[in-house]
Amino acid sequence: MKIGIAVLGAGRWGVNLIRNFLEHPNSEVLAVVDPNRDSLAAVQKQFNLDASVILATEWSQVQALPGLQAVAIATPASTHYTLAAAALKQGYHVLAEKPLALNLTEAIELCQLAEKQQRQLFVDHTYLFHPAVDRGQRIIQQHQLGKLRYGYAQRTHFEPVRHDVDALWDLAVHDIAIFNTWLEQTPIEVRAIGTVFPKEEGRGKKEEGRGKKEEGRGKKEEERGKKEEGRGKKEEGINQETAEIENQFAPVPLTINPAEKLADLVWVTLTYPDGFQAFIHLCWLNPDKQRRLTVVGSLGTLIFDEMSPETPLIVQRGNPDWGGEENNSFESALAKPAPTGATPTKRIALQRTSLRHREVLSLEQVEPLRRVCDRFLNCVQTNTPCPTSSGAASVELIRILSTLSKSLELGGQPLIPF
């Protein structure tokens, strides 16, 4: 029997959820909800939706829809708690886009509500269903990288700039989730520093030029004679007052989001129980899009680069021809003497070969979000939680994000996740 689903949100991610649920043999999209009628019309046209699929502008219009069993939420982060709570209270299973909520208290409340209602609360941490993350986890668990030393990640792009969360809450959860999964640990100390970029002053300068232009006009009027002198001064005063009023409405050069003062650039440091540290660069005003995560070990480096579709996951390691396990380390490759008679040029070439031994790992060709939807439907059918994407698992990630936000407020003070 197919599971009836309503998708809340027909934006960029909501469209992907609609597509996957429409194509899945075990689900039936009963309704799509979005306050923007143009978005609903676009979805109707894109998927040629059956007339039986309800297109609504408010969640309340479909809350009592016959056959509805589950709700998928792909709306702004600030609305997740309210919508998820309402759906759970109605007795529906919930798939929510990350983050589950914007504070720890609300996330815990949703978990408790789901448990009380005996319904599944599933959070869409899509990267945890990526074939590269699965394969990378096996590489690390098999100790193919040797002793793990540190990791780093870059998650940047140029827009969209969100108005309900900062770059930390918008972007960091993916990399934190991957590091936690690969290391099978959670951080014992976190630190974040951020920057809010100045806004362009173009309009302010334009207004300043207008004021000078008006001032010049006042002087020109003044030169016409004593008879016009009073009028000129009067006009000048009016122009100055007008310029002051207009400048009050001009953008203040403080932040991209002057009302929210949300950080546009964030640097995160995560410290794990075994001493491993991960450094994450987050920005939504970068000229180039980056989705890259790296773990460095004594025997090699694992690189997950989503922006390299042909080679998304590679292992870069020492040349096995150089000897045993320890001799495969980067340091040993550099320190080990070259074969007898080798020239300096040949020695450098051998070292470079060792350092650049690169293995491209094969991956299952499947869309991560398709796996998310499939797992969610399975959780609904069996009414059992998913260990990696349950509400409880998401609470731990929100606990880390909340602590990072506090560190951000304190100017980068290291804190223990609370």
Side-chain angles (χ1 to χ4, degrees):
M1 182 176 177
K2 291 187 176 183
I3 296 170
I5 291 178
V7 179
L8 311 186
R12 179 182 62 87
W13 202 244
V15 167
N16 290 323
L17 285 169
I18 293 168
R19 171 175 55 80
N20 275 285
F21 282 128
L22 284 172
E23 294 173 356
H24 200 287
N26 295 334
S27 65
E28 180 181 4
V29 177
L30 300 180
V32 177
V33 181
D34 195 289
N36 189 325
R37 296 183 183 277
D38 291 338
S39 296
L40 294 174
V43 166
Q44 165 66 42
K45 181 178 180 180
Q46 180 177 347
F47 298 111
N48 191 27
L49 296 178
D50 188 90
S52 62
V53 178
I54 296 176
L55 302 178
T57 56
E58 295 182 12
W59 157 235
S60 60
Q61 295 174 292
V62 301
Q63 279 188 355
L65 196 62
L68 184 61
Q69 297 170 268
V71 172
I73 301 172
T75 58
S78 56
T79 66
H80 289 180
Y81 169 75
T82 302
L83 292 173
L88 288 169
K89 288 176 181 177
Q90 289 285 123
Y92 301 129
H93 301 277
V94 172
L95 166 63
E97 189 183 6
K98 61 79 191 171
L100 175 59
L102 292 183
N103 66 66
L104 187 59
T105 300
E106 290 182 346
I108 293 174
E109 285 180 6
L110 289 176
C111 288
Q112 293 173 340
L113 181 57
E115 185 176 358
K116 178 182 177 181
Q117 297 291 97
Q118 297 186 340
R119 291 295 179 266
Q120 293 305 306
L121 177 58
F122 191 106
V123 184
D124 177 14
H125 292 296
T126 310
Y127 281 91
L128 298 184
F129 294 83
H130 198 295
V133 174
D134 287 345
R135 185 73 188 276
Q137 185 176 12
R138 293 197 298 272
I139 292 290
I140 292 175
Q141 289 175 345
Q142 293 166 3
H143 307 290
Q144 294 187 35
L145 302 182
K147 180 176 175 56
L148 301 184
R149 293 181 169 168
Y150 69 96
Y152 57 94
Q154 303 90 19
R155 188 166 296 273
T156 70
H157 53 247
F158 188 71
E159 297 182 333
V161 175
R162 298 189 180 276
H163 295 270
D164 54 349
V165 293
D166 59 9
L168 172 68
W169 281 79
D170 183 33
L171 302 173
V173 68
H174 301 303
D175 298 307
I176 297 172
I178 295 173
F179 277 125
N180 287 0
T181 300
W182 280 2
L183 300 172
E184 297 183 299
Q185 304 177 64
T186 57
I188 57 172
E189 183 181 274
V190 301
R191 178 174 183 257
I193 56 174
T195 300
V196 180
F197 289 120
K199 196 161 187 179
E200 293 182 2
E201 300 181 17
R203 181 175 175 184
K205 291 181 178 179
K206 185 176 180 180
E207 296 295 341
E208 182 181 353
R210 182 185 300 175
K212 290 181 178 179
K213 183 177 179 181
E214 296 294 341
E215 183 179 354
R217 182 185 300 173
K219 290 181 179 180
K220 185 177 180 180
E221 293 292 333
E222 184 179 359
E223 291 174 356
R224 290 183 179 180
K226 291 182 179 180
K227 185 177 180 180
E228 299 295 329
E229 183 177 356
R231 183 186 301 175
K233 289 182 178 180
K234 184 178 180 181
E235 290 293 330
E236 184 179 355
I238 292 173
N239 289 329
Q240 288 179 343
E241 182 179 358
T242 301
E244 290 175 0
I245 294 173
E246 289 181 344
N247 282 332
Q248 291 176 10
F249 292 91
V252 179
L254 290 177
T255 168
I256 295 301
N257 294 309
E260 302 89 349
K261 297 183 180 179
L262 303 175
D264 306 300
L265 167 66
V266 180
W267 296 92
V268 167
T269 302
L270 309 174
T271 302
Y272 288 84
D274 63 357
F276 182 95
Q277 284 192 311
F279 308 92
I280 308 175
H281 170 208
L282 310 160
C283 186
W284 53 28
L285 290 176
N286 235 39
D288 62 317
K289 184 175 182 179
Q290 301 177 78
R291 295 288 185 272
R292 197 169 189 267
L293 188 144
T294 303
V295 171
V296 179
S298 61
L299 302 182
T301 299
L302 178 65
I303 304 171
F304 172 29
D305 189 349
E306 189 183 359
M307 303 310 295
S308 298
E310 300 300 321
T311 58
L313 189 68
I314 66 172
V315 173
Q316 187 169 295
R317 47 175 138 229
N319 191 329
D321 292 338
W322 280 62
E325 180 177 275
E326 288 304 317
N327 287 334
N328 286 336
S329 70
F330 291 169
E331 292 82 355
S332 297
L334 287 173
K336 187 177 179 70
T340 304
T343 64
T345 301
K346 186 175 181 180
R347 175 183 171 83
I348 293 173
L350 287 168
Q351 290 173 351
R352 285 178 176 172
T353 300
S354 177
L355 287 172
R356 293 180 181 179
H357 181 69
R358 184 169 174 265
E359 179 185 355
V360 177
L361 302 178
S362 60
L363 302 174
E364 180 185 1
Q365 298 302 307
V366 60
E367 181 186 4
L369 186 59
R370 184 172 296 274
R371 296 177 72 182
V372 169
C373 294
D374 183 71
R375 182 67 65 86
F376 172 64
L377 293 170
N378 180 262
C379 289
V380 171
Q381 289 173 329
T382 61
N383 202 21
T384 55
C386 172
T388 57
S389 281
S390 65
S394 185
V395 163
E396 292 308 308
L397 290 170
I398 291 175
R399 188 186 308 277
I400 296 169
L401 286 171
S402 298
T403 310
L404 283 166
S405 287
K406 187 65 176 178
S407 175
L408 199 61
E409 293 174 8
L410 297 174
Q413 180 177 328
L415 298 173
I416 298 172
F418 52 87

